Amino acid sequence: MPSSGRTSPLRLLVLGGTGFVSGAIAREAVARGHDVTCVARGTGGEPPAGARLLRADRAAPGALDALRGTPFDAAVETATLALPWVREALAAVTAAHWTFVSSISVYADTHTPGQDARTARLRPALPGDTAAYDPARDPEPSQARYGGVKLACEDAVREAAGERAFVVRPGLLTGPGDDVGPFGYWPLRMARGGPTAVPPAVGEAGLPLPAQLLDVRDLAVWILDAAEERTAGTFDAVGPAVALTDLLAEVADAVGREPELVPVPEPVLAEAGVRPWTGPHSLPLWPPRELYGALARAAGPSADAGLRARPVADTARAVLADRLGRAAGRRPPAGLTPVEEAALLRGMGW
């Protein structure tokens, strides 16, 4: 058991348990010996061995009725864009501690580095804007919509749980099981070796390109520590902010086969039609100017509250092993193909 001194297992409810974030939380809880119940449709996988699964479609009326009257020591809610789901869970579930996984998308200013959880938020979404998220109709919701709904969910949790509420706002999460984020491109690319196109150290604005990420396993550890210790409050869930060049160098040292990192100026990337940040034909983690602040938030308050971020090298090795084990032969969801990268480097005389 962790250092909280707790001698008995928690009766823990994970609203989810089969996804990237909720699955990591459920696995950490099972590993600690807690009594874990997961609530999910069960169509996207199974919860970890040792956890029980309550199959429920939370879009259906009364989906959580089976939980009424069952007390839990702690509950963890990971709903993305579904205020009705959050409200129903708060009404149906009795829990002594309540964690809500929100997002740094709730902040109004994504430009200014060094901000913390006290800085200005967006406007919470209005009731008519908070129906359950349908990715088929809105595959890339705007920050205002995503952040606004997350804020409305946060407010519902604080109103219902009061001093029992622990609200965490993750930035970029990665780690084993991450099939969509931009970080996973780099361990695979560095492992191939050779001349490797990377973003420049400094952007067109004359500022160093920032980077900030957190391993999902570290988030899970922190959430379980908080549940055991009854930690409350609102915190960003972010690792240390670093220069992007330093982060990529650490990945290269951890998994690379003597890669030669070739910084590509931003005008060259733009001329070649290379997209920033993520997606096909992108140079992942290359941030547009509007994300500089979102990738350089103050990590001190969360560290003071117990969040510990492992070295990027550890995450890189784990992501590489995970990608090679599960997705060999599949194109990563973000980044350049070898042909695209070779054409980019040839244009620079390589």
Side-chain angles (χ1 to χ4, degrees):
M1 299 295 292
S3 60
S4 63
R6 193 180 175 89
T7 58
S8 59
L10 293 177
R11 175 174 283 184
L12 178 72
L13 177 67
V14 179
L15 292 152
T18 62
F20 174 50
V21 175
S22 63
I25 295 166
R27 284 190 294 275
E28 176 66 21
V30 169
R32 296 185 183 207
H34 295 315
D35 180 359
V36 182
T37 298
C38 297
V39 178
R41 288 175 298 176
T43 58
E46 296 293 323
R52 69 179 59 85
L53 174 63
L54 171 63
R55 295 183 184 275
D57 181 352
R58 296 179 68 184
L64 302 183
D65 283 353
L67 298 174
R68 294 183 184 275
T70 302
F72 291 91
D73 296 304
V76 180
E77 171 69 276
T78 63
T80 301
L81 281 175
L83 178 61
W85 296 5
V86 172
R87 284 179 169 159
E88 182 183 9
L90 290 164
V93 175
T94 301
H97 185 267
W98 199 282
T99 295
F100 179 66
V101 180
S102 186
S103 168
I104 63 164
S105 293
V106 302
Y107 295 111
D109 180 359
T110 63
H111 291 72
T112 307
Q115 299 181 86
D116 60 27
R118 297 169 296 180
T119 51
R121 316 183 314 170
L122 295 168
R123 177 183 64 81
L126 298 173
D129 298 328
T130 56
Y133 173 52
D134 182 355
R137 290 190 302 172
D138 190 9
E140 295 185 7
S142 68
Q143 184 209 355
R145 170 164 167 72
Y146 183 82
V149 176
K150 279 290 194 181
L151 276 174
C153 293
E154 285 187 15
D155 290 345
V157 169
R158 292 191 197 93
E159 181 180 354
E163 294 183 355
R164 297 177 290 121
F166 181 57
V167 176
V168 294
R169 295 168 172 167
L172 175 61
L173 292 174
T174 189
D178 176 13
D179 289 328
V180 298
F183 177 81
Y185 168 82
W186 290 110
L188 286 169
R189 178 60 194 92
M190 299 301 188
R192 286 208 325 264
T196 304
V198 299
V202 176
E204 281 191 284
L207 300 173
L209 297 185
Q212 190 170 43
L213 57 82
L214 182 68
D215 193 302
V216 71
R217 296 169 295 176
D218 297 333
L219 176 65
V221 167
W222 189 36
I223 286 173
L224 266 296
D225 286 349
E228 293 167 1
E229 298 165 8
R230 303 288 173 85
T231 301
T234 300
F235 300 91
D236 292 342
V238 294
V242 298
L244 179 56
T245 51
D246 293 342
L247 182 144
L248 294 179
E250 189 170 353
V251 174
D253 289 343
V255 303
R257 295 182 179 177
E258 300 183 356
E260 185 175 0
L261 306 188
V262 182
V264 183
E266 288 193 334
V268 174
L269 293 171
E271 178 68 22
V274 177
R275 298 172 56 186
W277 188 244
T278 193
H281 197 58
S282 70
L283 204 55
L285 301 183
W286 167 36
R289 178 66 185 90
E290 62 268 21
L291 288 184
Y292 281 21
L295 295 168
R297 296 195 64 81
S302 56
D304 291 343
L307 176 60
R308 297 293 177 264
R310 70 190 65 206
V312 170
D314 290 354
T315 299
R317 286 188 286 266
V319 168
L320 178 63
D322 178 61
R323 286 286 181 94
L324 292 177
R326 296 187 306 109
R330 287 192 346 211
R331 173 173 177 162
L336 301 174
T337 67
V339 171
E340 291 169 344
E341 184 185 26
L344 180 64
L345 292 173
R346 277 197 307 272
M348 294 181 60
W350 284 79

